[in-house]
Amino acid sequence: MINKKPLILVTNDDGINAPGIRALIEVMNTLGDVCVVAPDSPQSGMGHAITINDALYCNRINISKDEPQEEYSCSGTPVDCVKIAVNEILDRKPDLCVSGINHGSNSSINVIYSGTMSAAVEAGTTGIPSIGFSLLDYSLEANFEASKKIVKTIAEQTLKNGLPNGVVLNVNIPKLNSTEIKGIKVCRQANAYWQEKFDKRTNPLGRDYYWLSGEFVNQDKGQDTDEWALENGYVSIVPVQYDLTAHHAIKEINSWELQ
Amino acid sequence: MINKKPLILVTNDDGINAPGIRALIEVMNTLGDVCVVAPDSPQSGMGHAITINDALYCNRINISKDEPQEEYSCSGTPVDCVKIAVNEILDRKPDLCVSGINHGSNSSINVIYSGTMSAAVEAGTTGIPSIGFSLLDYSLEANFEASKKIVKTIAEQTLKNGLPNGVVLNVNIPKLNSTEIKGIKVCRQANAYWQEKFDKRTNPLGRDYYWLSGEFVNQDKGQDTDEWALENGYVSIVPVQYDLTAHHAIKEINSWELQ
């Protein structure tokens, strides 16, 4: 092969102009040839949504002439971005797909709501080694300096080792500077949920409406979870699978009177 | 307890007026007290999306005065419907949440895109035994007669036996009449993916746009999968978990040079 540099697809859910994806692109440019296909506007909380009843727009853009990556801005969801990148934009399968760096946590149960992680999962379903990165700081002014080193280490190791079939990585990074981060832990997803609180208001026409808000409840006291790692100053890596089968439950449900 | 009838939450992703949810409500009315909270418009392919940057509307409606259920139409996604039902509308935790009957398959990898299944998963995360039902017929004129008996059997068994912690059921029903359906099989999710094909068009202003379409590719030859069951005339039940941790991969990734 003439070109041995890996091809890296970069996406996110905060939108193509978010500081988090800019930090991710900067790191990926040191590792390979980078193509960015990301939503043209914020798509947080979109989960694994796809656009099936609407047209998709996807345009090449130039954010900076000094940077080597190709960039495309897409009107769809994070998962749409991966689908259009893999099937329309790229002429070969990427060696790595990275999504993020998300502004805010995608640890524990948040993985199922996360557009960042759903993009990584989507790429994973087509056989591309994929990683979602998130920093535990929701601010648009979040500082990604410490994250860059972590991202580089994990992306390099993924390029080197590959990933087991059917597995993508969910990486969460605590809001700490480099000297404060204690290390990287491979974890299981903590057993937690959202206790929602709806804020009920009345619009100027007298009609009631609601804002969704909620409180994160971690009912898992294990020290092998992503929540424990993050609370104790570690970066968490959860290997995530998209075979959702609860294999352990098959026998029990087979004992039901179903026929 | 004076009232021993179970409380059943019904939702879907095809919208509150879809024939599939009407069939599901009809069955649930024979099993308990029914509250319907469903999207006011089709939300297929919404996955686990939630509405975080927009207000939600949720209004009580009367579809038929002759039917006993309470019904609420909600502007949000299927997952929003479950959140608002559990936290704002219902005064106690439902004994069962059922979602569907979806017009079209949610077998195999489709589970990750499915609003129907995401609603069931959302209810599951709050400890409610939950089932998503889908019929392998995308038509709005789909015939749900054979499905009703299947739905009743599985819902009754779920009410009677409960579900293992962290597990919800993904039920798919072949497009067959009652005499043709061979039985019910508890299965694992087939290892399949979508090979997308984007249809590129040009709008009247000269701008290119895309329609997402694709081909379902089942690379799994196992006879213990949902795809095998459905192709062979069986109803499939896949127990689905939302702990996405690939536990088997933790050891391998722990061997990486991460520090």
Side-chain angles (χ1 to χ4, degrees):
Chain A
M1 273 166 61
I2 295 168
N3 183 358
K4 286 198 171 179
K5 282 175 86 176
L7 177 61
I8 303 174
L9 172 62
V10 179
T11 190
N12 76 343
D13 75 353
D14 291 316
I16 198 162
N17 294 309
I21 198 171
R22 295 291 121 200
L24 189 55
I25 295 165
E26 185 186 327
V27 176
M28 293 305 133
N29 276 334
T30 69
L31 298 177
D33 291 326
V34 173
C35 179
V36 181
V37 184
D40 59 15
S41 60
Q43 294 274 337
S44 293
M46 283 304 280
H48 215 97
I50 51 175
T51 303
I52 50 181
N53 290 314
D54 229 333
L56 283 174
Y57 289 88
C58 189
N59 300 295
R60 185 154 181 189
I61 57 168
N62 276 311
I63 286 203
S64 161
K65 286 179 185 170
D66 302 330
E67 297 178 20
Q69 73 276 4
E70 275 187 26
E71 300 205 27
Y72 297 82
S73 170
C74 177
S75 62
T77 66
V79 171
D80 291 330
C81 290
V82 171
K83 285 185 182 290
I84 209 161
V86 170
N87 295 285
E88 277 290 317
I89 296 172
L90 299 172
D91 54 13
R92 64 180 177 97
K93 187 187 262 198
D95 301 292
L96 179 69
C97 172
V98 291
S99 179
I101 303 173
N102 193 60
H103 293 242
S105 173
N106 282 315
S107 61
S108 178
I109 194 66
N110 298 302
V111 67
I112 68 173
Y113 304 100
S114 163
T116 302
M117 277 307 299
S118 293
V121 165
E122 178 64 27
T125 67
T126 66
I128 304 164
S130 301
I131 317 168
F133 292 102
S134 305
L135 173 64
L136 272 62
D137 186 346
Y138 287 92
S139 166
L140 258 182
E141 283 79 44
N143 183 341
F144 291 95
E145 281 313 307
S147 300
K148 287 180 193 170
K149 183 166 165 279
I150 304 291
V151 165
K152 185 164 184 175
T153 299
I154 296 172
E156 279 178 330
Q157 286 292 309
T158 302
L159 283 166
K160 180 181 163 195
N161 298 303
L163 283 174
N165 276 343
V167 170
V168 302
L169 301 185
N170 182 16
V171 176
N172 281 273
I173 302 168
K175 187 182 170 182
L176 297 171
N177 62 42
S178 279
T179 56
E180 292 167 323
I181 291 176
K182 288 187 191 158
I184 299 173
K185 278 199 185 289
V186 188
C187 311
R188 66 175 173 86
Q189 172 185 324
N191 179 14
Y193 64 98
W194 282 89
Q195 178 69 52
E196 308 299 348
K197 288 177 186 161
F198 283 88
D199 187 3
K200 189 174 181 178
R201 302 184 184 184
T202 305
N203 78 7
L205 302 172
R207 200 170 158 209
D208 289 337
Y209 66 96
Y210 300 89
W211 284 106
L212 170 62
S213 70
E215 190 184 332
F216 180 70
V217 182
N218 180 13
Q219 51 197 344
D220 193 331
K221 303 296 167 216
Q223 300 199 354
D224 55 347
T225 71
D226 51 1
E227 289 303 320
W228 188 93
L230 293 161
E231 280 163 19
N232 287 275
Y234 293 91
V235 173
S236 67
I237 301 181
V238 176
V240 162
Q241 60 192 0
Y242 42 86
D243 173 1
L244 307 188
T245 311
H247 290 275
H248 65 282
I250 290 180
K251 192 177 168 193
E252 177 173 337
I253 295 162
N254 254 325
S255 71
W256 290 7
E257 292 165 37
L258 289 171
Q259 310 302 338
Chain B
M1 271 166 62
I2 295 169
N3 184 357
K4 285 196 170 180
K5 284 175 84 174
L7 177 60
I8 303 174
L9 172 63
V10 179
T11 190
N12 76 343
D13 75 354
D14 291 316
I16 198 161
N17 294 308
I21 197 171
R22 297 290 121 200
L24 189 54
I25 294 165
E26 184 188 326
V27 176
M28 293 305 133
N29 276 333
T30 69
L31 298 177
D33 292 325
V34 173
C35 179
V36 181
V37 184
D40 59 13
S41 61
Q43 295 274 336
S44 293
M46 283 305 280
H48 215 96
I50 51 175
T51 303
I52 50 180
N53 290 315
D54 228 334
L56 284 173
Y57 289 88
C58 190
N59 299 296
R60 185 153 181 190
I61 57 167
N62 275 311
I63 286 202
S64 162
K65 286 180 186 170
D66 301 331
E67 296 178 21
Q69 73 276 3
E70 275 187 27
E71 299 205 27
Y72 297 82
S73 171
C74 176
S75 62
T77 67
V79 171
D80 290 331
C81 289
V82 170
K83 286 185 181 291
I84 209 162
V86 170
N87 295 285
E88 275 291 316
I89 296 172
L90 298 172
D91 53 13
R92 65 182 176 95
K93 187 187 262 198
D95 301 292
L96 180 68
C97 173
V98 291
S99 179
I101 302 171
N102 193 59
H103 293 243
S105 173
N106 281 317
S107 62
S108 178
I109 195 66
N110 299 302
V111 67
I112 69 173
Y113 303 101
S114 164
T116 302
M117 277 308 299
S118 293
V121 165
E122 178 62 29
T125 66
T126 66
I128 303 165
S130 300
I131 317 168
F133 293 102
S134 305
L135 173 64
L136 271 63
D137 186 345
Y138 287 93
S139 166
L140 257 183
E141 285 79 43
N143 183 340
F144 290 97
E145 281 314 306
S147 300
K148 287 180 193 170
K149 183 166 165 277
I150 304 291
V151 165
K152 185 164 183 175
T153 299
I154 296 172
E156 279 178 331
Q157 287 291 310
T158 303
L159 282 166
K160 180 181 163 194
N161 299 303
L163 283 174
N165 277 344
V167 171
V168 303
L169 300 184
N170 182 16
V171 177
N172 282 271
I173 303 168
K175 187 182 170 182
L176 298 171
N177 61 43
S178 279
T179 55
E180 293 168 323
I181 291 176
K182 288 188 192 157
I184 299 173
K185 277 199 185 290
V186 187
C187 311
R188 66 175 173 86
Q189 173 185 324
N191 179 12
Y193 65 98
W194 282 89
Q195 179 68 53
E196 308 299 347
K197 289 176 185 160
F198 283 88
D199 186 3
K200 189 174 181 177
R201 303 183 183 184
T202 306
N203 78 8
L205 302 173
R207 198 169 161 209
D208 290 337
Y209 67 96
Y210 300 88
W211 284 106
L212 171 61
S213 70
E215 190 185 333
F216 180 70
V217 182
N218 180 13
Q219 51 197 344
D220 193 331
K221 302 296 168 218
Q223 300 199 354
D224 55 347
T225 71
D226 50 0
E227 289 303 320
W228 188 93
L230 292 161
E231 281 163 18
N232 288 276
Y234 294 91
V235 173
S236 67
I237 302 181
V238 176
V240 162
Q241 61 193 359
Y242 42 86
D243 173 2
L244 306 188
T245 312
H247 290 276
H248 64 282
I250 289 179
K251 191 177 169 194
E252 178 172 336
I253 295 162
N254 252 325
S255 71
W256 290 7
E257 291 164 39
L258 289 170
Q259 308 304 336

